[in-house]
Amino acid sequence: METTPIQMADQPEAERCDAVRNRALLLDAAAALVAERGADAVTMDAVAAKAGVGKGTVFRRFGSRSGLMQALLDHTEQELQHAFMYGPPPLGPGAEPIDRLVAFGRARIALVDLSGDTLRAVEDSPELRFGSAPRQVSLTHVAMLLRAAGTEGDIPLLAHSLLAPLEASLVMHQIRAMHMPIERIADAWEDLVRRVTESPAGH
Amino acid sequence: METTPIQMADQPEAERCDAVRNRALLLDAAAALVAERGADAVTMDAVAAKAGVGKGTVFRRFGSRSGLMQALLDHTEQELQHAFMYGPPPLGPGAEPIDRLVAFGRARIALVDLSGDTLRAVEDSPELRFGSAPRQVSLTHVAMLLRAAGTEGDIPLLAHSLLAPLEASLVMHQIRAMHMPIERIADAWEDLVRRVTESPAGH
């Protein structure tokens, strides 16, 4: 997963590159801690030790543990976000809205399979669970696709209802505790989307 | 909310009544603590102090904090469970399956509005969130109604997807952070159920 450099005009080029590398290094360390020992193991101290830098560096970069967790979520979701906003169809622009919605859920389920521990760690934080920027982007994306498909009804709440079964904690429960193949979970998502959007208008 | 006495043949009547009263007293104390100060405030010590009993009584009754939280969930969900299993239609037996499903979600949303802090406290516990007995009962109930309505597809996963938007944390976010009227949330649930179940077969 790559980190998109943010242009900061008041920084020299070399310093900017160091900052970007440093940030990626710290986020990789945090993600590794989540995977190895769970979200509770992600403290500012542990991330500094893992990345081989001073604790002050972690604080300067992220401000607080909550800021670090938020940045970790952005890092984890960035590739998916980029793919559904700018990538090739059917996930990106160019495909039919319903096919894009199906592809969005399938990609999200695959991301949970890959980085579920990190995603779930963020869901476990009450202030980030529903308020995070990536969740807002996903909600906006789903609502946009529903409207583009001509779906009627309470679109904001329908977007909530469609995102709810894609939550990392539920999908991980289905994969790990219920031993469901992710293909089955992805097929059930497609079935749900088609039911919701193909329903006769004005039922 | 009433506590149904469990018949225990080896206990004299009076002792049994004391035990039932005691249990209800402790659970009311725990629920009050959740409402006043959040789930983290529910310790064995705090519940004992609130109920005016010794800490040993709380441990004898519930074994551990996790046992107490599980019992609190059972207590909170008991009335709803009873209503959808044995109560009058449309929630209970006698109505059409889809109308029962609509009534189930509406009753659940009303319960979140009433006891959301307690329900959310249990959802925040990873081992109880998906593994609790009341959740299992709800899943079985939703799957049974979908089958009774002749709904085709992957019924266990469809039941997961329909329960997901009813989770206390999401509904509380909609009510408290987004200031949505619960009637709007309940209408969106009914709309979702009708879309999912009225979709043309074999799409």
Side-chain angles (χ1 to χ4, degrees):
Chain A
M1 199 161 300
E2 62 176 5
T3 304
T4 307
I6 297 159
Q7 294 303 323
M8 287 173 283
D10 56 347
Q11 279 186 325
E13 185 75 22
E15 193 186 319
R16 200 157 71 221
C17 285
D18 278 356
V20 167
R21 251 196 309 273
N22 220 348
R23 181 185 162 86
L25 186 78
L26 292 172
L27 290 175
D28 286 344
L33 280 171
V34 172
E36 286 163 24
R37 298 195 270 132
D40 289 346
V42 182
T43 61
M44 303 300 258
D45 276 322
V47 170
K50 184 95 183 167
V53 302
K55 189 175 168 180
T57 305
V58 186
F59 272 99
R60 267 195 307 281
R61 179 60 57 192
F62 301 108
S64 65
R65 183 177 183 276
S66 171
L68 170 69
M69 294 307 289
Q70 176 73 61
L72 184 57
L73 176 67
D74 290 343
H75 185 63
T76 307
E77 298 244 8
Q78 200 168 56
E79 201 171 3
L80 174 59
Q81 250 181 51
H82 197 270
F84 71 65
M85 292 199 294
Y86 312 111
L91 191 50
E96 289 299 309
I98 299 309
D99 294 333
R100 290 186 69 190
L101 191 52
V102 167
F104 169 80
R106 287 188 175 274
R108 212 164 170 90
I109 291 162
L111 182 65
V112 172
D113 192 39
L114 194 73
S115 303
D117 289 300
T118 298
L119 296 174
R120 189 167 59 177
V122 174
E123 284 173 12
D124 285 347
S125 156
E127 73 268 31
L128 291 182
R129 183 159 176 202
F130 297 112
S132 75
R135 184 180 147 85
Q136 207 49 54
V137 172
S138 294
L139 272 174
T140 304
H141 183 64
V142 169
M144 181 276 286
L145 292 176
L146 289 171
R147 287 196 184 93
T151 308
E152 295 183 7
D154 192 332
I155 299 298
L157 275 174
L158 195 52
H160 274 211
S161 295
L162 284 175
L163 275 187
L166 296 177
E167 271 212 285
S169 48
L170 178 58
V171 174
M172 288 176 79
H173 172 75
Q174 292 163 344
I175 294 174
R176 295 190 184 175
M178 304 185 73
H179 306 291
M180 289 185 178
I182 76 158
E183 196 50 41
R184 176 177 168 194
I185 302 167
D187 286 348
W189 160 259
E190 171 154 4
D191 178 63
L192 178 70
V193 168
R194 298 208 182 272
R195 282 172 195 264
V196 163
T197 56
E198 286 175 13
S199 181
H203 50 262
Chain B
M1 197 162 300
E2 63 177 3
T3 303
T4 307
I6 296 160
Q7 294 303 322
M8 288 173 284
D10 57 346
Q11 279 186 327
E13 184 77 21
E15 193 186 318
R16 201 158 66 223
C17 284
D18 277 356
V20 167
R21 249 196 310 271
N22 220 348
R23 182 185 162 85
L25 186 77
L26 292 172
L27 290 175
D28 286 344
L33 280 170
V34 171
E36 286 163 22
R37 298 194 271 132
D40 289 346
V42 182
T43 62
M44 304 300 257
D45 276 322
V47 170
K50 184 94 183 169
V53 302
K55 190 175 168 179
T57 305
V58 186
F59 272 98
R60 269 195 305 281
R61 178 62 55 195
F62 300 109
S64 65
R65 182 178 184 276
S66 173
L68 170 69
M69 293 308 289
Q70 177 73 61
L72 184 58
L73 176 68
D74 291 342
H75 185 64
T76 308
E77 298 245 7
Q78 202 167 53
E79 200 171 4
L80 173 59
Q81 250 181 50
H82 198 271
F84 70 67
M85 292 199 294
Y86 312 112
L91 191 50
E96 289 299 310
I98 300 308
D99 293 334
R100 290 186 69 191
L101 191 52
V102 167
F104 168 80
R106 287 189 175 274
R108 203 144 192 100
I109 291 162
L111 182 64
V112 172
D113 191 39
L114 195 72
S115 304
D117 290 300
T118 299
L119 296 173
R120 188 166 59 176
V122 175
E123 284 173 13
D124 285 347
S125 156
E127 73 267 34
L128 292 182
R129 182 159 177 203
F130 297 112
S132 75
R135 183 180 148 86
Q136 206 51 54
V137 172
S138 294
L139 272 175
T140 304
H141 183 64
V142 169
M144 180 277 286
L145 293 176
L146 289 172
R147 288 197 183 94
T151 308
E152 296 184 5
D154 192 333
I155 299 299
L157 275 174
L158 195 53
H160 274 211
S161 295
L162 284 175
L163 275 187
L166 295 177
E167 271 211 284
S169 47
L170 178 58
V171 174
M172 288 176 80
H173 171 76
Q174 291 163 343
I175 295 173
R176 295 190 186 176
M178 303 185 73
H179 306 291
M180 288 184 176
I182 75 157
E183 194 51 41
R184 177 176 167 193
I185 301 168
D187 287 348
W189 160 259
E190 171 155 5
D191 178 63
L192 178 70
V193 168
R194 299 210 180 273
R195 282 171 195 263
V196 164
T197 56
E198 287 175 12
S199 181
H203 51 261

